[in-house]
Amino acid sequence: MAPAVDPSVTSDASFSFASKSESPDLGLIPPPMDQQPSPYRKTVIRAGHEVEFFSGELDRHLTDLRGTTEEKRAQVFQLVDSYHAHSRKRADRLRERQPRKLALRENEMDIDDNETDDLTANFDEEYRKAEEEAQTWDLLRRMLPLEYGQDETSQLKRHTKPSVQSRNQFWNDFMLSDSLAREQKVVLEWLQSSASQGPPVDDIVSHLQESAERGDILAHGWLHTRTKIKLQKSVNGYQGPLDPRAFGFAESHLSSNTLVTQLDPDAITRQARKLETQDDFFERAIWLGCFEMLRRGCSMAEIREWCSVRTELWRTASLAPLPLANPEDEDQPDFDPRSLVLWRRMCFSTARDGGTSDHDRAVYGLLAGDIASVEKVCETWDDLLFAHYNALLRTRFDSYLVKHGGDEAARAAQQFPAFNAVLHHGDPHSVSKRLVTLLETDSRTSAEATRPSKALQGAIVAHELGRYLTNQGLVLAQHANQRSKSNLIPPVDLQVPDDLNHPKYFNLSDHNSLRVFSHVLIIYTTLNRLSETRIISDVRQEAMENIIAAYISYLRLANMEEMIPLYCSKLHGQRVYQALSRNLIHILDNNARRVQISIMNRLGISVSEFVKRQPEVFLTDVNDLLQPCEAKGRFKMLEDGPATLKYGRMVKPDFFGDEEAEVFDTEEGHIICSLEWLMLTDGLFVETCSYVIRAYKYFLKRAHLRAARALSQRVPGREIIRRKTGILVGGEDNDGSIKWFTEFATSELPEDLLTRYAGDKNAVIAHVRNMWELECLVKALDSMETLSSLAGLARKDSTNSREMWQHTSKEVRAAKAYMQPVLKGWLTESLRPDPDFQALREAYIPETVLALVSSLHFAGATLSRDYLLECMELAAVVAEKGSVVAQEFVNSGRMKELVQAFASCSKALAIFASEKKATSKETKKIREHGWSRELWSVKPQ
């Protein structure tokens, strides 16, 4: 089924994973992931075209798996084929580009040798990585169908055996009967294919060919030795073959008593003599070429053509009886198993006791299934693995022929010895694992075997891919947490193996390996999910997914956020939403956020779950529920010292912070951004209110007023009501309007909203009230901070502009309005008892009320005496029976300060009684409240 679209998200934005313009292949090397710059800063990490191609193909093949299990597997295999084709083309392009690029550089006049060496080394390293990646995908595309039940032999039909079988029929029957042989054949074919990507055979033998001193002449055998023999015959008048035992031959053979006297292929071993030095190089070149062609899996037609050019067809005949059953090779219709059994043993004898050079013996060692003779010429990890797998497969086929070839084949096997690789290696089911381990410790291959790319190939061959990926995930977790705990790649509760510091594991700075391993892991886990019998434990899944999590972080740092949801969707459980939360939080533009939401919808990710989880992730990071109320006893708005007649007690200017910019902790910024994400979806009203309350509490408990102010501006309560419930409360009045809560409380609430509160409207109202009360406190503090700044300006220059006094009047009205909830049971009603509310009342009510008194004092002295009268009214409100404000002043021991503040206001009111009367509007207000200025007038005696 296609992924369901979340109906709670309304967005027209859409996105495609089609590749963009090609990026450079090489970028600057960034610092380790745990030292990466903040996501709010620009980074220097650049991603190559491979990143876009791989994400596009992953999206195309695995986003919407449909059909039967077999059809879904087929889609996964198609993805592997696509990755192999792309990586193969890239490696081929680099190989073709290498000579040209170096030639161009060498032609530059200002280049020195060191710079050329560096360029060569860098380019060689880039090509090596590309080639090994192509080999890895090639190995996977061969091994995965075999491991998951769709290998090529499933297409072979069992048939009734005829009385006479061809060689290919024997081979096919052997493949059908032996699953281990099928696997070994697949690995051998992969090793042959990988070897075929190396330099041409002619280039490999060219150094020996040059030492043969025969120019461009490839044919006609041992030219220099033939010339010597002819010369000897001519000088001594010999007829027919030379006899090395003839009298005087040692002295007459041009001072040489070790040169062969005949030119047949067996002359060297039969006479125990040598060729001319140049011809010895030619002979070694021929055998090296034959070995390389067998190593590359060339067909007999190709080997025959290569030898024919050199007039050495006899060598082809010696190789013909036992190729690796290449389907393109010629078949032998009337095949006698006995002949092949005997031939293998003759080759083994030659490999161990005959031959003229190491490569001569290695050729026959390959044909015989020997290991010792082949290992002598092996130079790489691939070569040694090939030697062992070749021996294993040929031994198994030989055993099959002996068993099914009749008595004559069995007698032939008993007559002559042959190397038994199966017996040599022991348990056939664990041989691959032991071989890979052996290559890691072998001095010839240890450096190569412990490169991450080769270690990955070894894990695939050894059927240890799951274990290797788990360990790699543990390594990344260690690296990410080496200085402090990482939220992106947390530690895993799994025993760490002793060899985890082994160089075969990469760290977070190896972005190319991150890309390859992430996609290998996605393919591996997808195939395991499609199999009912392959279950990965949760803790191992978590460890492995550290690789994908690290790659997602790399995409974020490379500014490729559009790909992040795709890879997050390949994680499991809640980690999907954790990864999304942490790697998309830096996106501040709402249009860009909507694009991400559209992508999530298309990928089948629950957007509702994402936006619900994101605030929880960042609030949990700061332990908001366990955060003590640091503001209690430390939050101060008022300057020390007595009140003045005109300004009352001074309120600290900029008590929100000294900086002009809205700067706060990164964690606090993440919390606010997560709530902005939450506002982009419909519904989730309860969750939104709960998270906003938690955020306000956390900011206020720490007295981080800048963050609280940013939250009130970017996620206002009025907008929450409008967007989440559809109730259009409040106007756009920024002059202290608090009407929206009253309008909400008196509105008819949606049925689905009431259902969340068990039909209790009062519970809904109480929940929203807490959010409203917290927001009002923050806005009141903001207005009073502005008033403190205006008071400072007024003290410096009493002749300020009209606009300033208008601004002052506006802020006083706002402060009065926002303080109304604070003065009347602030945070005393809630859905359930909350100790944080009591702590906030103790921390903020005394200081905030005193600051309000000072603000009204300042306004009464500069704007209108009516504000002094309001201050007296405030005293009456505080003195009401059951007043929460009065109780907090008593509990804090600050009632004396409050009384002194009111006394200062009353004194100012009495002294300023002779000032001009207020406007008619204010007079009406005075009448409505029953106030009288004359009561406060003090007449001179």
Side-chain angles (χ1 to χ4, degrees):
M1 293 178 62
V5 176
D6 193 330
S8 68
V9 181
T10 55
S11 173
D12 295 331
S14 61
F15 181 78
S16 170
F17 286 97
S19 297
K20 303 176 185 177
S21 58
E22 186 169 349
S23 304
D25 286 338
L26 297 176
L28 299 175
I29 299 175
M33 197 74 71
D34 60 344
Q35 300 177 20
Q36 298 290 359
S38 165
Y40 289 97
R41 304 172 189 163
K42 296 291 184 183
T43 66
V44 297
I45 297 177
R46 293 185 296 170
H49 174 67
E50 293 71 40
V51 173
E52 295 181 355
F53 176 84
F54 271 61
S55 67
E57 291 298 291
L58 179 64
D59 181 48
R60 185 163 71 91
H61 287 90
L62 295 193
T63 293
D64 187 15
L65 284 175
R66 298 186 179 186
T68 65
T69 300
E70 293 302 319
E71 289 171 340
K72 291 176 181 178
R73 283 200 190 108
Q75 293 181 57
V76 178
F77 298 150
Q78 288 173 10
L79 175 63
V80 179
D81 289 340
S82 174
Y83 287 161
H84 169 251
H86 177 81
S87 56
R88 180 73 271 153
K89 288 179 182 177
R90 178 170 180 262
D92 291 343
R93 284 197 304 269
L94 287 173
R95 183 173 61 246
E96 293 169 1
R97 206 175 77 196
Q98 184 175 17
R100 182 170 67 254
K101 186 171 183 178
L102 293 179
L104 290 174
R105 293 285 293 175
E106 289 171 356
N107 288 333
E108 295 179 10
M109 298 299 295
D110 58 346
I111 191 170
D112 56 28
D113 292 339
N114 290 333
E115 191 174 352
T116 302
D117 292 342
D118 291 342
L119 178 66
T120 303
N122 291 336
F123 198 92
D124 288 346
E125 179 69 8
E126 182 185 4
Y127 170 67
R128 180 190 63 77
K129 289 181 178 180
E131 182 61 41
E132 289 184 350
E133 179 183 345
Q135 293 174 8
T136 299
W137 291 116
D138 187 27
L139 176 60
L140 277 171
R141 78 186 183 93
R142 296 170 186 271
M143 289 290 287
L144 291 179
L146 183 71
E147 185 169 351
Y148 289 91
Q150 285 190 347
D151 62 291
E152 62 182 20
T153 58
S154 64
Q155 307 301 321
L156 298 175
K157 304 293 184 181
R158 291 191 178 273
H159 52 82
T160 303
K161 293 183 179 180
S163 57
V164 178
Q165 288 183 272
S166 68
R167 185 177 62 188
N168 280 353
Q169 286 174 330
F170 268 99
W171 179 261
N172 291 339
D173 288 342
F174 165 60
M175 285 288 109
L176 283 169
S177 66
D178 193 333
S179 60
L180 287 176
R182 293 198 295 271
E183 177 188 320
Q184 290 162 2
K185 176 177 177 289
V186 165
V187 174
L188 274 175
E189 289 174 342
W190 167 66
L191 291 167
Q192 290 171 335
S193 176
S194 299
S196 67
Q197 304 300 326
V201 174
D202 287 347
D203 290 354
I204 292 177
V205 303
S206 61
H207 67 288
L208 293 173
Q209 192 72 31
E210 290 173 2
S211 299
E213 298 180 5
R214 45 197 300 144
D216 296 330
I217 301 174
L218 299 178
H220 310 303
W222 303 329
L223 291 178
H224 296 274
T225 302
R226 179 184 293 111
T227 301
K228 276 288 186 73
I229 291 175
K230 286 184 176 181
L231 181 60
Q232 180 64 25
K233 286 184 177 182
S234 174
V235 170
N236 296 286
Y238 288 136
Q239 297 293 326
L242 290 177
D243 184 0
R245 295 171 298 179
F247 179 75
F249 176 78
E251 290 76 16
S252 63
H253 197 264
L254 299 181
S255 302
S256 174
N257 60 0
T258 60
L259 199 68
V260 296
T261 61
Q262 297 174 6
L263 298 176
D264 61 278
D266 294 329
I268 302 173
T269 54
R270 186 180 66 254
Q271 295 183 346
R273 289 174 171 265
K274 298 179 181 180
L275 300 173
E276 280 291 297
T277 302
Q278 297 91 331
D279 289 337
D280 183 62
F281 282 116
F282 176 75
E283 181 74 4
R284 288 163 56 192
I286 296 291
W287 285 120
L288 174 59
C290 290
F291 177 83
E292 281 295 325
M293 298 189 80
L294 286 175
R295 174 69 180 81
R296 298 174 184 219
C298 295
S299 66
M300 288 310 304
E302 293 173 304
I303 298 175
R304 185 181 297 110
E305 181 182 359
W306 193 83
C307 291
S308 175
V309 171
R310 291 157 177 77
T311 60
E312 299 286 331
L313 275 174
W314 70 269
R315 301 178 197 261
T316 308
S318 70
L319 308 182
L322 197 61
L324 269 178
N326 190 323
E328 298 179 1
D329 275 342
E330 307 90 344
D331 195 8
Q332 293 181 12
D334 187 6
F335 177 66
D336 181 5
R338 181 184 57 173
S339 64
L340 200 53
V341 171
L342 282 171
W343 186 255
R344 176 173 179 256
R345 283 151 178 77
M346 298 304 101
C347 290
F348 175 70
S349 177
T350 303
R352 289 294 181 93
D353 303 321
T356 59
S357 66
D358 285 343
H359 280 98
D360 180 1
R361 288 182 285 272
V363 166
Y364 287 105
L366 281 179
L367 298 172
D370 187 33
I371 294 177
S373 58
V374 180
E375 276 190 328
K376 292 180 180 179
V377 300
C378 291
E379 298 178 351
T380 66
W381 185 90
D382 286 24
D383 290 341
L384 281 170
L385 189 65
F386 181 86
H388 286 271
Y389 265 70
N390 172 78
L392 286 166
L393 182 58
R394 292 184 183 275
T395 300
R396 298 185 78 85
F397 188 41
D398 182 75
S399 299
Y400 179 84
L401 292 177
V402 170
K403 181 178 179 180
H404 295 86
D407 295 339
E408 293 184 355
R411 283 194 295 271
Q414 294 175 354
Q415 288 178 332
F416 303 98
F419 180 72
N420 191 320
V422 175
L423 186 63
H424 172 77
H425 280 291
D427 180 16
H429 296 283
S430 61
V431 63
S432 57
K433 180 179 178 180
R434 285 183 278 112
L435 268 177
V436 170
T437 303
L438 175 66
L439 295 179
E440 289 180 1
T441 57
D442 192 305
S443 59
R444 293 168 294 180
T445 57
S446 58
E448 181 185 8
T450 53
R451 288 200 302 259
S453 54
K454 277 297 174 189
L456 175 60
Q457 294 172 7
I460 297 169
V461 169
H463 301 283
E464 290 280 302
L465 183 57
R467 179 177 176 274
Y468 179 66
L469 293 175
T470 299
N471 289 346
Q472 178 61 68
L474 292 174
V475 169
L476 294 180
Q478 274 192 343
H479 194 244
N481 292 275
Q482 60 186 354
R483 295 179 180 172
S484 60
K485 183 177 179 180
S486 169
N487 290 322
L488 291 166
I489 309 175
V492 181
D493 186 16
L494 194 64
Q495 185 176 0
V496 179
D498 296 335
D499 66 340
L500 217 55
N501 293 322
H502 205 280
K504 67 180 180 180
Y505 302 109
F506 63 87
N507 60 34
L508 292 167
S509 63
D510 189 347
H511 299 151
N512 188 67
S513 293
L514 272 178
R515 172 179 58 81
V516 175
F517 278 60
S518 294
H519 291 88
V520 170
L521 173 58
I522 291 170
I523 290 165
Y524 173 74
T525 54
T526 301
L527 288 171
N528 280 335
R529 283 202 307 270
L530 293 174
S531 174
E532 298 179 356
T533 59
R534 298 172 184 264
I535 300 174
I536 304 173
S537 66
D538 291 341
V539 67
R540 291 190 176 278
Q541 186 79 43
E542 180 184 358
M544 287 191 289
E545 287 183 352
N546 284 341
I547 301 171
I548 301 176
Y551 186 62
I552 293 170
S553 297
Y554 160 68
L555 293 175
R556 169 176 54 83
L557 294 168
N559 299 318
M560 305 189 82
E561 294 91 348
E562 296 90 348
M563 299 177 187
I564 289 175
L566 174 65
Y567 290 94
C568 288
S569 70
K570 305 307 175 185
L571 301 172
H572 292 78
Q574 290 300 313
R575 194 164 192 178
V576 175
Y577 306 105
Q578 292 174 358
L580 282 169
S581 298
R582 297 192 185 282
N583 288 285
L584 297 181
I585 194 65
H586 65 286
I587 300 177
L588 304 179
D589 180 69
N590 273 344
N591 288 330
R593 287 169 173 167
R594 290 189 179 96
V595 169
Q596 294 290 340
I597 287 174
S598 176
I599 298 171
M600 293 180 211
N601 256 327
R602 190 174 63 79
L603 293 169
I605 297 174
S606 172
V607 177
S608 296
E609 186 66 22
F610 160 60
V611 295
K612 279 195 301 183
R613 284 288 305 160
Q614 193 174 35
E616 182 67 39
V617 166
F618 293 109
L619 285 167
T620 302
D621 281 351
V622 296
N623 291 316
D624 69 300
L625 298 177
L626 301 177
Q627 172 67 40
C629 187
E630 299 171 359
K632 189 163 63 173
R634 297 170 58 184
F635 174 64
K636 299 295 182 183
M637 296 173 62
L638 301 173
E639 299 278 10
D640 295 330
T644 64
L645 179 63
K646 187 172 183 180
Y647 298 105
R649 190 172 174 184
M650 301 297 180
V651 178
K652 292 180 179 179
D654 300 324
F655 60 82
F656 270 61
D658 296 333
E659 300 88 355
E660 294 183 1
E662 287 292 316
V663 178
F664 36 81
D665 293 348
T666 300
E667 294 85 356
E668 295 169 342
H670 288 168
I671 292 170
I672 296 171
C673 285
S674 70
L675 294 171
E676 289 181 313
W677 277 93
L678 189 53
M679 290 290 286
L680 294 177
T681 62
D682 295 335
L684 303 176
F685 173 77
V686 178
E687 291 80 2
T688 305
C689 292
S690 298
Y691 283 132
V692 169
I693 291 171
R694 284 177 62 180
Y696 272 127
K697 288 197 303 179
Y698 174 70
F699 297 154
L700 291 174
K701 284 191 292 185
R702 301 185 70 200
H704 285 196
L705 301 184
R706 285 185 178 274
R709 176 168 59 192
L711 176 59
S712 70
Q713 294 169 346
R714 291 161 61 176
V715 192
R718 179 175 55 196
E719 287 303 312
I720 294 174
I721 300 300
R722 287 178 170 182
R723 296 187 188 184
K724 299 295 183 180
T725 69
I727 301 174
L728 301 179
V729 297
E732 297 300 329
D733 181 14
N734 293 321
D735 198 20
S737 173
I738 59 172
K739 296 181 293 185
W740 66 263
F741 172 71
T742 304
E743 293 178 17
F744 172 76
T746 57
S747 299
E748 183 177 351
L749 303 184
E751 193 64 33
D752 59 338
L753 177 58
L754 288 172
T755 302
R756 295 291 304 276
Y757 292 86
D760 187 355
K761 182 176 180 180
N762 291 331
V764 183
I765 294 172
H767 200 186
V768 176
R769 178 191 296 276
N770 295 153
M771 179 177 66
W772 172 67
E773 290 172 332
L774 290 164
E775 181 180 282
C776 284
L777 172 70
V778 173
K779 288 182 176 292
L781 293 173
D782 187 27
S783 293
M784 283 187 275
E785 185 200 42
T786 304
L787 284 172
S788 70
S789 300
L790 293 171
L793 294 176
R795 289 194 296 272
K796 292 179 182 178
D797 184 3
S798 59
T799 61
N800 286 288
S801 66
R802 177 187 178 118
E803 288 77 11
M804 194 205 86
W805 294 116
Q806 288 176 338
H807 190 191
T808 302
S809 177
K810 175 183 174 182
E811 292 298 335
V812 171
R813 292 196 301 272
K816 285 169 34 185
Y818 289 129
M819 281 297 293
Q820 294 308 306
V822 181
L823 297 171
K824 297 178 181 178
W826 189 64
L827 298 181
T828 56
E829 299 180 20
S830 60
L831 291 176
R832 59 188 61 85
D834 191 335
D836 286 338
F837 286 169
Q838 177 58 38
L840 291 175
R841 286 195 296 271
E842 295 174 9
Y844 285 93
I845 285 181
E847 195 74 9
T848 304
V849 172
L850 288 172
L852 176 63
V853 173
S854 292
S855 298
L856 292 174
H857 190 149
F858 163 66
T862 55
L863 296 176
S864 168
R865 274 200 312 156
D866 290 348
Y867 289 115
L868 294 173
L869 292 173
E870 290 190 32
C871 194
M872 296 301 96
E873 179 69 14
L874 175 59
V877 172
V878 173
E880 288 179 352
K881 184 178 181 180
S883 169
V884 174
V885 174
Q887 186 63 46
E888 293 303 332
F889 272 96
V890 172
N891 293 340
S892 63
R894 304 184 68 181
M895 183 59 77
K896 180 179 179 180
E897 291 182 60
L898 180 63
V899 172
Q900 289 174 344
F902 284 135
S904 178
C905 284
S906 64
K907 180 179 179 181
L909 180 60
I911 293 176
F912 296 150
S914 61
E915 291 186 357
K916 64 180 181 178
K917 295 183 179 181
T919 63
S920 58
K921 180 179 178 182
E922 292 173 329
T923 302
K924 180 178 179 182
K925 178 180 179 182
I926 291 174
R927 289 198 304 269
E928 289 174 351
H929 286 79
W931 297 342
S932 172
R933 292 195 187 99
E934 297 304 321
L935 180 65
W936 297 91
S937 297
V938 179
K939 297 180 180 180
Q941 298 294 328

